[in-house]
Amino acid sequence: MPIGKKLVVVIPAYNEEEMLPVTIPAMSEVLDRMVSAGKISSSSKLLFVDDGSTDKTWPLIEQYRQINAFVSGISFSKNYGHQNALLAGLKVSKDADVVITIDADLQDDINAMEEMLDRYLEGYDVVYGVRNSRETDTFFKRNSALFFYKLMDKMGTKTIQNHADFRLMSRRSVDALLEYPERNVFLRGIVPQVGFKSINVYYARNERQSGTSKYPLGKMIKFALDGITSFSTTPLRMIVWLGVATLAISVILIVNTFIQHLHGNTSKGWPSLMISIWFLGGSQLISAGILGEYLGKVFFEVKQRPRFNIAEDSYTDK
């Protein structure tokens, strides 16, 4: 009978052919060490989720599976996104006692996985991997990330600061997470809502060794918007206050115009007219955009379309 709990490490991979020859041996070594220490079962797995890659990511996963007992994988029929790749791994690995999610780029410290497992063995259901600094980030990324976490906090969305998607979850916390049906997935906000006993494990983030980041500025902005509109109605309330402020300014302008008229200083009105038009027009466009974001979320949720389609599965079909 295998010793220890079965651990499955879920690793999203999108066009990571350059990183896999480095990532797989490094992660396998960590798992092998924990198996030798009796902390996890020898049936534990590295579950790579190929998110519709256009390079040799999936052939490489299959190649390593033939020579490495830890390696398994699933492949999407097309690109469904990082968050859905994580969910697919959590859903497929239903026989795991404990699951760790981590990216394939080795920027998260894989050695911290053992400490995370130790915290799980102490009785914690969720263990968050949290960066202890952002010294490896560019000035822009460091400050934009800080702004993002502060904004999420102001919007009422509970997140773990400096935590991405490097985390450990027990079987019961994963099962609870999978009960959440929404299609607009923001796991950094959903996981804290699941509850259960949690703790942070701190680590130093590394530089990407090879390949390119899969989160350029455009995707980061979209990710932030998804996080805010999926968990907070504060922007909707802001529209109400914007309307109140606009009304107050209008009243002040009316009073000022009346006073100027009494003193015979009434101008032809062109500047005030144009300012009013631009101010109200901009306010209306912003408000319509915010409402559109929420309406779009409802539109996709009510369709109840599948989050992903799996084309190949070497984890279940063992």
Side-chain angles (χ1 to χ4, degrees):
M1 184 175 179
I3 301 174
K5 302 284 188 179
K6 179 173 182 177
L7 167 67
V8 173
V9 183
V10 174
I11 311 156
Y14 177 64
N15 292 340
E16 295 287 4
E17 65 176 351
E18 296 179 36
M19 278 303 304
L20 290 182
V22 180
T23 300
I24 292 175
M27 290 192 177
S28 297
E29 183 180 340
V30 174
L31 260 63
D32 192 51
R33 186 168 68 237
M34 290 192 283
V35 170
S36 299
K39 293 182 178 180
I40 61 174
S41 164
S42 58
S43 62
S44 296
K45 292 288 182 180
L46 298 172
L47 174 54
F48 289 89
V49 183
D50 175 25
D51 185 19
S53 299
T54 56
D55 62 1
K56 297 179 181 178
T57 294
W58 181 248
L60 275 172
I61 293 170
E62 286 292 90
Q63 179 183 326
Y64 275 98
R65 186 173 67 89
Q66 303 300 321
I67 59 175
N68 187 327
F70 287 128
V71 177
S72 64
I74 58 176
S75 178
F76 282 168
S77 59
K78 70 179 188 68
N79 178 251
Y80 285 97
H82 181 265
Q83 299 293 283
N84 283 320
L86 290 172
L87 275 176
L90 294 174
K91 187 174 182 179
V92 168
S93 59
K94 52 190 174 185
D95 60 336
D97 298 302
V98 57
V99 180
I100 292 177
T101 58
I102 186 172
D103 289 340
D105 55 19
L106 293 185
Q107 288 190 271
D108 296 319
D109 184 6
I110 58 175
N111 293 303
M113 291 195 294
E114 188 165 3
E115 184 180 352
M116 295 167 87
L117 186 68
D118 289 339
R119 301 289 84 78
Y120 162 74
L121 295 173
E122 290 172 2
Y124 292 94
D125 285 281
V126 181
V127 184
Y128 298 103
V130 180
R131 298 174 61 171
N132 56 16
S133 74
R134 286 190 167 270
E135 294 178 359
T136 58
D137 285 349
T138 62
F139 175 83
F140 173 78
K141 190 168 184 179
R142 181 167 57 251
N143 286 279
S144 62
L146 181 63
F147 173 76
F148 169 73
Y149 286 114
K150 286 185 176 180
L151 180 62
M152 294 295 286
D153 184 61
K154 293 291 184 183
M155 292 292 177
T157 303
K158 182 180 179 182
T159 57
I160 307 299
Q161 188 166 347
N162 291 325
H163 162 71
D165 287 297
F166 182 28
R167 68 179 72 87
L168 175 148
M169 299 184 72
S170 67
R171 179 74 264 154
R172 66 173 180 170
S173 64
V174 170
D175 290 341
L177 173 64
L178 294 176
E179 291 295 317
Y180 286 69
E182 56 251 52
R183 267 58 186 164
N184 295 285
V185 183
F186 183 70
L187 290 175
R188 299 181 201 184
I190 297 176
V191 173
Q193 288 194 0
V194 170
F196 297 112
K197 191 176 180 182
S198 65
I199 193 172
N200 297 343
V201 164
Y202 296 90
Y203 69 95
R205 189 167 169 84
N206 304 313
E207 295 277 1
R208 172 181 268 272
Q209 296 185 31
S210 182
T212 58
S213 172
K214 304 307 183 292
Y215 262 98
L217 179 60
K219 281 191 175 181
M220 288 172 62
I221 293 173
K222 182 181 181 300
F223 189 63
L225 285 174
D226 283 343
I228 293 169
T229 55
S230 295
F231 287 90
S232 175
T233 56
T234 300
L236 294 175
R237 296 192 187 102
M238 289 172 64
I239 292 176
V240 176
W241 288 111
L242 180 62
V244 171
T246 302
L247 179 62
I249 292 171
S250 300
V251 170
I252 293 171
L253 288 173
I254 290 170
V255 172
N256 179 65
T257 301
F258 181 72
I259 293 172
Q260 293 297 322
H261 178 71
L262 291 177
H263 288 83
N265 297 325
T266 306
S267 64
K268 294 181 180 180
W270 178 257
S272 59
L273 177 63
M274 294 307 296
I275 290 172
S276 299
I277 291 173
W278 281 98
F279 180 78
L280 290 172
S283 301
Q284 289 168 352
L285 287 173
I286 292 171
S287 301
I290 293 174
L291 289 171
E293 281 290 324
Y294 283 93
L295 183 60
K297 292 289 190 296
V298 174
F299 175 73
F300 285 110
E301 291 293 340
V302 297
K303 286 178 177 292
Q304 291 292 295
R305 288 174 175 169
R307 294 190 183 110
F308 48 82
N309 290 312
I310 297 174
E312 305 284 345
D313 183 352
S314 64
Y315 181 88
T316 306
D317 304 331
K318 300 173 184 175

